[in-house]
């Protein structure tokens, strides 16, 4: 087992209450930051730690913070993005459910660093029960003087609010999130201006993922130098991985970045291999929007090197033979799974969740979904496969926000690596209706 | 002032100008098509993606090309920027794809659509579209509804440019319609039918690039290319009173705003000349208008084929009306 920075005390009974959390070293980073460090020093520490955003894109958090505009007389905001909706990703849920105070502690330290006096946690509507957990924790923090006016006598004020969304994937995109938080329809904004210049209510805003904000706590506690020693050269620290699919022991794991993929899938400390003694067929390492990897590219890269759970190793080979660490939604497929059905399922998700603002995404995602449904249901043509490949080329990069890319990548990768399976669906429509590629009896799902 | 090169033509423009507006200053074929951008409505643009251009060099300071195509309506020019519009194969290909996307759910009911002849999507399909379609699925459909006393909404034809939403936000005191649902099921609608009832709501019809919003007082009366557009003005307390009246003989079929060659309302002294609903829907009588002369429409080929304005237009036109 590797070192644990976030989930160290997760199994302690009552850790969701303030007192237990405090007894286990909680809120130390707030004390350290507010009493001994200037806001700029906190920012520099996070910058030095090379923490990469844990929400999916992997943008360095410290760099994002350094972009924040600081005009005089204008409030600044920190918004925590807890709109975790990517299929296969459930790490933030686990963290917030079990360790609400860790997120609150991170929010206080980060808000102090950014000079924000009001901060928000934007949580997806389906996590309403977590909203209640968080609000209870926030009340406790207020009562103990860690939130509100003059925190720990430092003269720093902070109000923290939890705002629930309506349950839209698109509101996880930072500008759509801000629109939604402002009470508007959750449509992504045109960029530039970026939120760091003009964000919430037109003021400079930083939007960070739950895990990124939580990771600030250990960075301040142990220091950036110590944090840099964990993980690999380019991917520092630990990462929560939500492992699911046909794994023997799925769940949320905190790994040190740089663990080998093979060890993570088959190791006794981790997922313990594929369920029911089957073989792995494909892997999606970072949430549904990242490219799928076929069996031969999972533990080894195209050049034959060992593949590690890190930002750089998983994306080795680009999209041709690599993928992305993304949000850490680790989905494994065993030999019985149908890639076409799975791709269709994801396409259905993206077409349902497209905001409908820009034409390539609105029309393209729905078109891909319809074509994939036809192929899966034995009504496809050979030309449909090329059509799909062409549609996703035309969506990619032409949309306002990354949802278009997120919808296009999995389809493109599935066709790239599993073209034979698509072709089999076309040439064996009857078999495709009854079962899967080269496999048997999958109960048909009706919509 | 910054220098920008668009399709090998250099122009000096003020800082903060968008690529689209810089291209419009050059004019002609350099101008990228726009379906959602509307210069008199701040906040529009960026949605339809038809105005995508390639940026071959970002600026003099940072001459790297931009990896993605950028929307010219919302991207500001930088000094030394090199933009490729018609000269880029990538742009032509992707613009064609956008047209395809816009058309896959469009009913193509031009033969019965009142917008035919002055429709931006027709023009765009003609210039950038393909003759055939690759779309074999069922199109999404909605029932036409009356969103106001005088406005008909055919959601099937809508391309979701959001211009009408901006009109309601910016010209009327209260917006009562907007986008419902999401994805390809997004629809422009009101919660309550006929709820749009505002002095300037009729301008939605003019900003609509397709036949999604049509004038109930003039629909199905005549094809636009059979009508003679005339510049006309009237005394109006609510609006500028400057409009175009569309005549068939001595009969007035409809009233619209005066539109420039980009299909946008004319701006005089920095003020866009929107017209009020009274002028648009209720004054269908020549006695209420002063005819200034024929309106030259150079944008939509079908209408301008009329050439009715050629021989001494002003004199003839006024004589006819008398």
């Amino acid at each position: 087992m590797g070192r644990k920075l976030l989930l160290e005390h997760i199994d302690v009974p009552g850790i969701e209450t303030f007192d237990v959390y405090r007894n286990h070293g909680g809120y130390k980073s707030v004390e350290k930051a507010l009493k001994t460090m200037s806001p700029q020093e906190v920012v520099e520490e996070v910058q030095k730690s090379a923490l990469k955003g844990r929400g999916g894109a992997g943008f360095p958090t410290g760099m994002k913070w350094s972009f924040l505009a600081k005009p005089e007389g204008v409030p600044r905001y920190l918004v925590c993005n807890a709109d975790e909706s990517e299929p296969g990703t459930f790490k933030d849920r686990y963290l917030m459910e079990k360790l609400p105070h860790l997120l609150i502690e991170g929010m206080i330290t980060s808000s102090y660093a950014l000079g924000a006096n009001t901060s928000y946690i934007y949580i997806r509507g389906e996590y309403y029960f977590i909203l209640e957990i968080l609000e209870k924790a926030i009340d406790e923090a207020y009562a103990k003087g860690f939130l509100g006016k003059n925190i720990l006598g430092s003269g720093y004020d902070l109000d923290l609010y939890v705002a629930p969304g309506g349950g839209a994937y698109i509101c996880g995109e930072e500008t759509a999130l801000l629109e939604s938080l402002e009470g508007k329809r959750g449509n992504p904004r045109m960029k530039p201006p970026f939120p760091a210049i003009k964000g919430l209510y037109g003021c400079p805003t930083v939007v960070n993922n739950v895990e990124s904000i939580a990771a600030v706590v250990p960075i301040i506690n142990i220091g950036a130098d110590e944090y840099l020693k964990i993980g690999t050269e380019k991917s520092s620290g630990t990462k929560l991985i939500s492992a699911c699919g046909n794994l023997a022991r799925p769940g949320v794991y905190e790994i040190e970045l740089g663990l080998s993929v093979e060890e993570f899938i088959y190791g006794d400390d981790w997922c313990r291999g594929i369920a029911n003694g089957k073989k792995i067929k494909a892997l999606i390492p970072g949430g549904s929007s990242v490219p799928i990897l076929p069996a031969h590219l999972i533990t080894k890269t195209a050049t034959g090197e060992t593949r590690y759970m890190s930002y750089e190793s998983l994306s080795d080979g680009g999209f041709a033979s690599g993928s992305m660490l993304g949000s850490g939604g680790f989905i494994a497929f065993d030999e019985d799974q149908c890639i076409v059905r799975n791709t269709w399922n994801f396409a259905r998700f993206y077409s349902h969740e497209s905001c409908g603002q820009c034409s390539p995404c609105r029309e393209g995602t729905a078109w891909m979904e319809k074509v994939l449904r036809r192929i899966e249901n034995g009504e496809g043509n050979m030309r449909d496969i090329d059509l799909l490949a062409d549609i996703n080329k035309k969506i990619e990069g032409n949309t306002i926000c990354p949802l278009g890319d997120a919808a296009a990548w999995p389809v493109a990768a599935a066709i790239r690596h599993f073209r034979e399976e698509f072709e089999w669906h076309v040439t064996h429509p009857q078999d495709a209706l009854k079962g899967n590629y080269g496999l048997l009896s999958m109960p048909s799902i009706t919509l | 002032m910054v220098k920008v090169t668009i399709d090998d033509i250099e122009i000096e423009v003020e800082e903060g100008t968008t690529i689209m507006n810089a291209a419009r200053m050059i004019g002609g074929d350099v101008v990228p098509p726009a379906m959602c951008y509307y210069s008199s409505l701040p906040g529009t643009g960026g949605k339809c993606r038809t105005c995508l251009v390639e940026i071959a060099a970002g600026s003099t300071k940072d001459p790297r090309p931009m990896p993605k195509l950028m929307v010219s309506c919302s991207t500001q020019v930088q000094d030394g920027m090199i933009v490729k519009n018609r000269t880029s194969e990538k742009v032509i290909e992707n613009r064609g794809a956008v047209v395809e996307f816009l058309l896959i759910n469009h009913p193509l009911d031009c033969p019965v659509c009142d917008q035919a002849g002055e429709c931006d999507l027709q023009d765009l399909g003609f210039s950038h579209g393909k003759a055939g379609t690759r779309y074999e699925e069922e199109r999404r459909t909605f029932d036409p509804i009356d969103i106001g006393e005088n406005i008909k909404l055919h959601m099937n034809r809508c391309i979701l440019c959001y211009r009408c939403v901006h009109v309601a936000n910016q010209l009327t005191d209260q917006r009562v319609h907007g986008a419902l649902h999401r994805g390809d099921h997004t629809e422009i609608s009101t919660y309550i039918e006929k709820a749009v009832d505002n002095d300037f709501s009729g301008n939605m019809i003019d900003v609509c690039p397709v036949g999604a919003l049509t004038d109930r007082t003039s629909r199905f009366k005549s094809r636009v290319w059979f009508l003679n557009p005339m510049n006309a003005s009237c005394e109006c307390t609510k609006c500028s009173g400057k409009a175009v009246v569309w005549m068939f003989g001595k009969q007035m079929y409809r009233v619209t705003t005066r539109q420039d060659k980009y299909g946008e309302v004319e701006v005089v002294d920095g003020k866009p000349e929107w017209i009020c609903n009274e002028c648009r829907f209720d004054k269908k009588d020549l006695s209420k208008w002063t005819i200034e002369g024929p309106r030259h429409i150079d944008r939509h080929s079908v209408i301008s084929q009329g050439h009715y304005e050629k021989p001494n237009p002003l004199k003839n036109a006024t004589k006819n009306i008398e």
Side-chain angles (χ1 to χ4, degrees), chain A residues 5 24 30 45 102 174 190 211 268 307 380 393 409 416 424 447:
Chain A
L5 297 176
H24 285 83
V30 175
E45 200 70 15
L102 179 65
E174 58 180 4
M190 293 290 301
E211 196 190 336
D268 274 348
R307 210 186 271 286
K393 236 186 266 164
W409 291 341
R416 193 183 309 128
W424 179 83
L447 277 173

Side-chain angles (χ1 to χ4, degrees), chain B residues 185 260 298:
Chain B
H185 286 82
D260 63 13
D298 62 351

Side-chain angles (χ1 to χ4, degrees), chain A residues 167-170 185 187 190-192 351-360 362-364 366-367 370-371 374 381 383-384 386-387 390-391 393-395 397-400 405, chain B residues 45-50 52 68-71 74 93-94 97-98 100-102 104-105 130 134-140 158-162 179-186:
Chain A
Y169 175 65
I170 189 64
R185 181 184 163 86
N187 278 359
M190 293 290 301
K191 282 170 276 187
S351 122
H352 180 70
E353 296 293 345
S354 167
C355 77
Q357 196 180 204
C358 64
S359 356
R362 175 183 70 234
E363 307 292 348
W367 190 1
K370 285 171 182 165
V371 174
R374 265 198 299 119
N381 296 312
R383 64 171 182 273
D384 287 337
D386 290 322
L387 174 67
D390 191 55
I391 297 172
K393 236 186 266 164
K394 297 291 159 53
I395 299 176
N398 287 345
T399 53
I400 294 179
D405 301 342
Chain B
K47 296 185 170 62
C48 69
R49 320 304 279 186
T50 49
L52 289 169
K68 287 180 181 180
L69 298 179
M70 303 298 284
V71 278
S74 331
E93 194 190 336
N94 283 281
V98 172
E100 187 176 26
F101 285 137
L102 289 176
I104 59 172
N105 277 311
K130 293 192 188 85
R134 297 186 290 176
Y135 192 70
E136 297 170 14
E137 332 299 326
E138 211 169 291
R139 284 159 204 257
R140 59 144 165 68
C158 179
I159 58 155
L160 286 165
C161 66
Y162 287 74
L180 309 180
H181 312 302
R182 64 181 181 214
D184 76 330
H185 286 82
T186 315

Side-chain angles (χ1 to χ4, degrees), chain B residues 148-193:
Chain B
E149 197 69 23
N150 293 311
I151 307 173
K152 188 88 175 175
L153 169 71
H154 279 267
M155 192 54 217
N156 286 350
R157 297 171 185 160
C158 179
I159 58 155
L160 286 165
C161 66
Y162 287 74
R163 279 180 185 175
C164 61
V165 176
H166 287 275
V167 163
N169 268 343
Q170 292 168 30
L171 297 185
T172 66
D173 48 10
Q174 201 182 14
R175 172 159 69 84
V176 289
H177 83 293
L180 309 180
H181 312 302
R182 64 181 181 214
D184 76 330
H185 286 82
T186 315
E187 68 177 294
I188 297 289
S189 190
T190 50
Y191 278 109
I192 304 155
E193 261 192 42

Side-chain angles (χ1 to χ4, degrees), chain A residues 57-76:
Chain A
F59 191 79
T61 305
M63 201 191 282
K64 202 177 203 176
W65 287 11
S66 67
F67 289 155
L68 186 71
K70 290 175 179 165
E72 282 289 310
V74 176
R76 300 189 280 276

Side-chain angles (χ1 to χ4, degrees), chain A residues 231-232 235 241 255-264 283 285 293 297-301 304-316 324-325 330:
Chain A
T232 66
S235 313
I241 303 288
I255 60 158
E256 279 185 33
L257 288 165
L259 180 77
S260 78
V261 176
E262 193 169 5
E263 170 72 18
F264 184 70
L283 173 76
L293 291 174
L297 289 173
I298 294 172
T299 53
K300 294 260 187 291
T301 63
E305 283 165 39
T306 313
R307 210 186 271 286
Y308 298 100
M309 303 282 289
S310 67
Y311 289 95
E312 67 276 12
S313 178
L314 277 172
S315 53
D316 184 274
M324 279 166 81
L325 181 60
F330 193 89

